[in-house]
Amino acid sequence: MTPDAALGDGAEDAIEEAVRALRRGELIGLPTETVYGLAAAVTNRAAVRRIFAVKGRPAGHPLIVHLAAADDPARWVQPPPGAPSAQFEALAAAFWPGPLTLVTLRRPSVPSEVTGGRPTVGVRSPDHPLAQRLLERLGEPVAAPSANRFGRVSPTTAADVRAELGDAVAVVLDGGPCVVGVESTIVELGAGGPMLLRPGGIPAEVIAEVLGRPLLAAEGPARASGMLASHYAPDARVVVVEPGEVGRRAAELAAAGRRVGVITRSSPAPAGVVLLGEAADAAEYARTLYRRLREADEHRLDVVVVAAPPRGGLGEAVLDRLSKAAAPRPAPGA
Ligand code: TXA
Ligand code: MG
């Protein structure tokens, strides 16, 4: 297939427009397999700084660098002292392009704005034909966080990026709904051994199998913003319950006068409650979760009652995001 046929009519024109915008120092909405990103050309420091302003994100929360599949990661990163480069190479070979971010030492070619001044940087190669084509045409990586305002639900469609960020993005490339639906897994390759910083699109157990050793659990102060307590949150309150409890809990809340929505595994919604969605397995939960949480706000619901996803595999990333969406919110102005 030619690239045009693979990408669909009009895609090449849209990509050229996005490349021009990035070269002018503007920001674009970038489709990936996980969630949409808010992207700047990685070497444009002013554009990278604008990402933080547009998201309302504290400067200390570093951005992920997205590489073309054909790019040489050694141009941008190097293994930390004491960590074998074989681990980086094995994981990149097994999972790129794909939803795995590797945190390792940055080279000076990555501006310090991207990493909030840290010596380390997260890199991944996204598994989406539009993203790959854009990176090839641009000729350098993009720095991109998820394209939501800080603390809010990540967008999984081009329309959600527009709704979230409006005119702050010059171009939103429409790559359709994201097929994974939750962010990449983040693994830090440090001297102490590979550490899981955020569960995501590739299950930790699958990564451990490639490494031949289990991943260390992250500890200490929150280093990824996804490690803060409240994050990924819609306006509606989120309540996570066992699958068999969804109907009872939703009915109770509705009886107390709340506007309630449910995300279930299979049980019907009680009368007076909005059925936001049903998810049969962990992959379907992941793919649909963020859109459903946005729908809860579009319906102006007060509460969403969500059936806990199955454990293991992608279920761990879904449960992580749900726990953070359900966490107590900081008081306004706090
Ligand atoms: O799937 C994804 O990873 C999406 C798509 C757009 O690629 N991106 C994404 O970016 O989720 P963001 O910025 O929303 O989340 C990246 C997380 C942040 O919590 C950040 O703090 C953490 O990665 N991170 C990035 N670089 C890091 C580093 N050097 N050390 C520790 N954490 C890092
Ligand atoms: Mg994010």
Side-chain angles (χ1 to χ4, degrees):
M1 246 186 322
T2 65
D4 274 334
L7 293 178
D9 288 345
E12 290 292 344
D13 290 346
I15 287 166
E16 290 312 313
E17 191 192 350
V19 166
R20 284 194 300 273
L22 289 168
R23 290 198 177 128
R24 284 195 303 267
E26 292 173 23
L27 307 184
I28 67 152
L30 179 73
T32 82
E33 77 283 33
T34 58
V35 300
Y36 276 70
L38 174 63
V42 76
T43 58
N44 189 319
R45 292 170 186 266
V48 169
R49 279 196 295 269
R50 252 195 89 219
I51 291 179
F52 290 89
V54 164
K55 273 185 70 94
R57 179 175 184 148
H61 288 268
L63 309 179
I64 293 174
V65 172
H66 295 69
L67 306 175
D71 200 348
D72 179 5
R75 290 171 63 199
W76 312 99
V77 296
Q78 57 194 339
S85 61
Q87 288 178 345
F88 183 102
E89 282 150 23
L91 293 176
F95 300 115
W96 285 1
L100 174 66
T101 295
L102 297 172
V103 173
T104 178
L105 276 191
R106 77 175 161 96
R107 287 191 187 276
S109 50
V110 176
S112 59
E113 281 84 350
V114 172
T115 69
R118 293 174 203 226
T120 58
V121 63
V123 288
R124 80 180 192 99
S125 186
D127 188 13
H128 192 293
L130 255 57
Q132 284 294 336
R133 187 78 177 144
L134 174 102
L135 291 166
E136 282 165 24
R137 296 287 306 118
L138 183 65
E140 67 169 281
V142 296
S146 52
N148 52 284
R149 294 184 192 274
F150 187 64
R152 312 288 303 191
V153 177
S154 305
T156 51
T157 68
D160 290 344
V161 177
R162 275 284 174 224
E164 188 77 23
L165 300 175
D167 293 338
V169 273
V171 177
V172 181
L173 277 179
D174 190 346
C178 299
V179 296
V180 175
V182 291
E183 296 84 351
S184 59
T185 306
I186 304 181
V187 172
E188 178 161 6
L189 299 172
M195 183 184 285
L196 179 68
L197 297 189
R198 177 177 75 181
I202 304 210
E205 58 269 26
V206 178
I207 297 168
E209 207 162 298
V210 169
L211 289 169
R213 56 176 291 173
L215 294 172
L216 303 170
E219 43 190 51
R223 282 194 292 174
S225 52
M227 294 165 78
L228 298 172
S230 173
H231 213 73
Y232 311 107
D235 290 333
R237 193 156 70 86
V238 175
V239 178
V240 185
V241 300
E242 287 309 311
E245 292 292 302
V246 170
R248 192 181 58 79
R249 192 63 182 278
E252 265 172 28
L253 287 160
R258 299 293 154 76
R259 290 180 303 257
V260 184
V262 293
I263 300 175
T264 72
R265 284 212 206 163
S266 62
S267 46
V273 166
V274 177
L275 177 64
L276 291 167
E278 273 182 15
D281 56 26
E284 191 177 359
Y285 262 93
R287 196 171 61 248
T288 57
L289 179 67
Y290 290 149
R291 184 90 271 290
R292 300 284 176 261
L293 293 180
R294 281 175 185 275
E295 277 162 22
D297 286 347
E298 288 158 15
H299 286 287
R300 301 188 176 282
L301 300 178
D302 299 312
V303 191
V304 190
V305 179
V306 188
R311 297 305 303 256
L314 272 177
E316 298 302 311
V318 173
L319 194 59
D320 171 77
R321 305 308 188 267
L322 280 172
S323 317
K324 280 159 188 153
R329 316 274 167 90

